[in-house]
Each structure stands twice: as C-alpha cells, then as structure tokens.
Amino acid sequence: MLIGILPAYKSAGAASSAKISHPVLNRMSILSNARVLKSSHSIHIAGPNISKRAAVNLNHDPNVIGNYKPKPAALDSVTKLLRLQLYLDQYNYDEIVIGFNSGAKTTYDFNEDSKYLPGINAAEGLASYSSDGVPLSINLVPLPKQNPEVIKLDVEAQNSESFTFKRTQLDQIPQIYNIWLKDNYKKDSVNLRIDSDYTFNVNKSDSATFGSNRFSVIISQEPAATFKLLDFNAAKASNGAQISWDTKNEESYTIFSVERSSDGGSIFETLDSLKSTGAGDYNYTDNNPPAASDEYRLKITDLNGAVSFSNAVTLIYGNVANTISGNISIYPNPTSNIINLAINQSGNTSSTNTLTTQSTGSFPSLAASAANTNAMYNIKIVSTSGSVIKAATSSTATWQGNIASLLPGTYIITVTNNTDKKLVGRSTFVKL
C-alpha cells in the first residue's frame, strides 16, 4: 500500500471511496477521517467527471520504507488542524490542511508535510506554502511565539468564476491565537474562528485576483488573552507550607515552578513543577520546610518561553526570627535619605569583634573589620510585595546606602554571606 494525499478527489463513481492520509498524521491518529488510496507507483483514476489527481509522496531514498522516512526529532503528540476548502461546486473543490504542532518546522519536511501536485485540467487549485516556498497540501507548522506566522496560499482557476473558501475544520487551538484569512486584493480579512465561509471572484484577465499573492492565513497572539497571575500566597498549615495561586488565561501551556529560598533570597531551589490545566487556581504543599526564614515564589514560563516570577512570601519556621534580626543593625530607623547597616559578626562567624550599637551611630574601625575581609556580603532591599528594590555588595561588616529615591513605606533588608550562601540577618526599616 502506498499512502498518499488526495486534497480533493472528484469522481462521480468513486468519490465515496477516496480518502486522505499522511504517514505522520495517520500515525498520530489526527486525521481519523482520512481515506487511504491503494496504488503501486502512481494513481490513475478513469471517469468523465475527473477534475483532480491525487497528490502522492514518492521518494526513492533507500532509507524510506514505503513513503515514510523516520524523523530524527519527533513531533509533539498533539496536532491541531485547520482545514480550508476552495469550493466551486459539488464536483469541483480542493482542500488543504494546516496542522499546528510544537515540534514542527515552518520549512518543508518530507516527514511532516505533503507536497501539492496540481490536478490535470482542474477547474481550481489550492495550496499553502512552506516558509521556503514549497506548495503543500498538508503543511505542519508550530504555533507562533511573539511574531505572527504568515502562511501564503496559492489559488488557481481555469476560468473566471466565483469561489468560496470554506473552513471545514478548526480544532481547539488556544484562545490566545487569532486566525485570519487575509485578502490582499480586496484589502479585507475574516476571522476564521467566527466566519466559516468567504466568497470572492477570480478574473482571469486580472492576475492579482488569483495566484500566490492574494490570500494568506495569519496566526497571531491576542495580547488581551495573555497569561495573568492574579494572586500568590503562602501560609503555614498542619502538614507544612501551603502554597496557592490564582491565574487567568493560563490554558494548558503554562509551566509553574514553586521555588523556595532559605538564605534570604540569594538562591532559590525548585521544589516542584507542573503544567497548567486551565483550572484557574492551583496549590502545592511543602511538607518539609526548613527551620529558617523561608521565602516562596512562583516561577512562570509562558508558551513563548518567557520567564517571570511572582512576589516572594516569607514564612518563618523555628526560633529564628529574633536571631536573624539581631544579627544586623540598621540606623537611623526610620530614615529619609541615608541608611547604615552594621553586621554583628559574632552572631554569624567565629570572630570576636563586636560592632557598635545603633545608639552610637558610628562604624567599627577598619582594623576591626579587616579580620573578615574575605567575607563578601550580599545586601538586598526588598519591598513588602517581594520585589527587589536595591541590591549591593560589601566586603566589610558595614554598609551605607542612599534610599532617597524610595517611596515612603516599610522595606525589608536581607544580608547573606556570599561565601557559604547562608542568611546572615534580616530586618525591616521605614522610609519616611
């Protein structure tokens, strides 16, 4: 059996026995209504009403078995289909399939696509083009990222006639995508999600009314339908830390990763990842939160591969609240311009150096700090929503920063030791 493509087979006596099939598509059962033609090396159909010949993939590559050549990179298991029919009358019509598969390429590939072969004396002809200009009956492409995917169509006709594009199939493609049929000649376009038919005229004396420059299918993302994180929370529960978040437009293509940091936000580890289901609300339980000041956040990877993060929420486990705040001194507090930070080295290293307290308003001597010059500290000023407002480093146990540009409010300051990545201290201050 040789499996080929019959975009639109028209014969008065045999039309009901003709089917469409394709090695890759048939293998994935996505053309369940496809029909199979039996043949040796070519297809010849006799009959007075024949206006189209089947387009058959013939390949003499020794690696090809039948007409299927194993594909190095496998397609995704799900392909969404758009079928377009160029309709003249019940005996004269042509059809193409555009399949959307994340593993496909836009260029022609024997294992993905099927070339279009024009019919003999056909009243009409319809093909779509790969990005490298090959006319196809079946054209597999990936759904586009930020830039729209434009698929040119070729419309041919023997005579000046009125034709109709019929959208005969459109699978459940994510709502973020707009799918348009564009008519460059009439400066018009129709939304194929809404309109299934589009009628137009071909004038053989005007080459702009047919050919490969009049029509195209355009698939683009709708900004209003992009993913939105509505809320992210973390709370203590009897069985651990309960993480929850609410979303909009995540559908089934967004990846969520729950992350945790126990060192003041310097390093976040991934606890678990899951693919969205379109449910709109999700939760995760951290059954073993460390006895520390634990920060939780959500990493979001959208269908374009773009990564974003939620705000960070802190849960404190164990008797660490007083310890981490006592390891650093912030002064003056409240403040409007300058903030001073002093790190209590005796609280986090073996050093016996003791820093002056907030009331003195002075820094320890350089000689006292020099004993710990190898310890590089990472300092972060974070808003109460979890956004990092300012980041700095210090090779000594003191630091001074200008916060005049910050909006009035409460801020969190964290200090981590860059050598061992451990949290040194965490406290808050008020910006006037």
Side-chain angles (χ1 to χ4, degrees):
M1 177 184 290
L2 194 152
I3 302 176
I5 307 303
L6 185 61
Y9 169 66
K10 298 179 285 294
S11 173
S16 63
S17 64
K19 299 190 177 184
I20 300 175
S21 187
H22 181 271
V24 175
L25 301 184
N26 187 60
R27 189 160 46 89
M28 297 187 298
S29 300
I30 62 173
L31 288 179
S32 57
N33 296 322
R35 302 176 184 273
V36 177
L37 284 174
K38 295 183 179 181
S39 175
S40 55
H41 292 287
S42 61
I43 295 176
H44 301 282
I45 304 171
N49 296 320
I50 296 173
S51 61
K52 192 70 63 182
R53 177 169 66 89
V56 182
N57 276 330
L58 296 178
N59 192 313
H60 301 289
D61 190 318
N63 295 321
V64 175
I65 302 173
N67 73 326
Y68 170 67
K69 182 177 180 179
K71 181 176 173 58
L75 292 170
D76 187 77
S77 60
V78 178
T79 298
K80 304 293 188 179
L81 298 184
L82 166 64
R83 287 178 185 258
L84 280 180
Q85 190 178 89
L86 179 63
Y87 184 88
L88 177 60
D89 55 46
Q90 61 179 324
Y91 300 112
N92 296 280
Y93 53 88
D94 205 350
E95 186 179 67
I96 60 171
V97 172
I98 298 174
F100 302 102
N101 188 296
S102 61
K105 300 186 292 293
T106 60
T107 55
Y108 170 68
D109 187 301
F110 171 85
N111 298 288
E112 297 175 4
D113 311 311
S114 181
K115 287 185 178 180
Y116 175 77
L117 299 180
I120 301 173
N121 297 321
E124 78 300 312
L126 176 63
S128 71
Y129 281 98
S130 62
S131 62
D132 52 350
V134 179
L136 302 172
S137 291
I138 292 181
N139 187 0
L140 264 62
V141 298
L143 284 166
K145 303 298 185 182
Q146 288 90 342
N147 296 323
E149 180 69 32
V150 179
I151 302 173
K152 293 180 63 176
L153 304 181
D154 182 50
V155 172
E156 302 296 339
Q158 269 196 341
N159 304 305
S160 298
E161 302 273 6
S162 177
F163 293 89
T164 300
F165 272 114
K166 291 181 177 291
R167 186 253 297 149
T168 58
Q169 180 179 350
L170 180 59
D171 290 341
Q172 292 183 351
I173 295 169
Q175 289 297 317
I176 192 174
Y177 291 104
N178 291 318
I179 305 172
W180 297 90
L181 175 66
K182 183 179 180 181
D183 185 342
N184 292 317
Y185 182 76
K186 295 180 67 175
K187 309 299 181 186
D188 193 12
S189 57
V190 293
N191 187 338
L192 290 175
R193 285 189 181 274
I194 301 172
D195 300 311
S196 60
D197 291 1
Y198 180 75
T199 300
F200 64 98
N201 294 317
V202 168
N203 182 357
K204 292 295 289 184
S205 63
D206 184 356
S207 61
T209 64
F210 59 95
S212 60
N213 293 318
R214 177 168 182 176
F215 291 102
S216 58
V217 172
I218 301 176
I219 306 99
S220 61
Q221 293 185 18
E222 171 57 54
T226 55
F227 167 82
K228 295 179 179 63
L229 178 65
L230 303 179
D231 193 25
F232 176 77
N233 285 296
K236 289 185 177 181
S238 58
N239 56 343
Q242 186 69 43
I243 317 300
S244 61
W245 61 99
D246 298 325
T247 60
K248 182 180 179 181
N249 299 332
E250 80 277 17
E251 296 216 18
S252 60
Y253 46 71
T254 307
I255 304 298
F256 300 122
S257 300
V258 178
E259 298 184 338
R260 182 187 67 203
S261 173
S262 299
D263 62 0
S266 292
I267 298 177
F268 279 87
E269 62 173 317
T270 299
L271 301 179
D272 201 358
S273 295
L274 62 93
K275 191 174 183 179
S276 61
T277 61
D281 58 272
Y282 303 84
N283 59 77
Y284 172 81
T285 301
D286 180 10
N287 293 312
N288 298 292
S293 177
D294 299 327
E295 294 183 49
Y296 293 93
R297 71 180 184 185
L298 189 67
K299 177 183 176 182
I300 304 138
T301 306
D302 67 14
L303 81 168
N304 297 316
V307 174
S308 59
F309 295 91
S310 71
N311 59 295
V313 179
T314 301
L315 299 178
I316 297 177
Y317 285 89
N319 188 24
V320 298
N322 294 331
T323 302
I324 61 175
S325 61
N327 285 343
I328 61 176
S329 299
I330 302 172
Y331 54 93
N333 188 9
T335 182
S336 58
N337 294 299
I338 300 297
I339 189 168
N340 298 300
L341 171 69
I343 301 170
N344 182 357
Q345 293 171 303
S346 63
N348 63 90
T349 71
S350 59
S351 171
T352 58
N353 295 329
T354 302
L355 300 184
T356 52
T357 62
Q358 177 175 333
S359 59
T360 65
S362 62
F363 291 127
S365 68
L366 291 177
S369 316
N372 201 30
T373 54
N374 290 330
M376 178 73 75
Y377 296 103
N378 290 323
I379 302 164
K380 290 182 182 179
I381 296 177
V382 183
S383 69
T384 53
S385 65
S387 301
V388 177
I389 306 300
K390 187 179 181 68
T393 59
S394 176
S395 59
T396 67
T398 62
W399 175 79
Q400 185 179 82
N402 190 329
I403 59 167
S405 61
L406 271 60
L407 295 174
T410 300
Y411 293 87
I412 303 166
I413 189 164
T414 63
V415 179
T416 55
N417 189 316
N418 198 40
T419 302
D420 55 16
K421 307 301 181 184
K422 290 184 178 180
L423 177 65
V424 174
R426 180 178 185 273
S427 191
T428 61
F429 69 91
V430 175
K431 164 64 168 58
L432 298 176

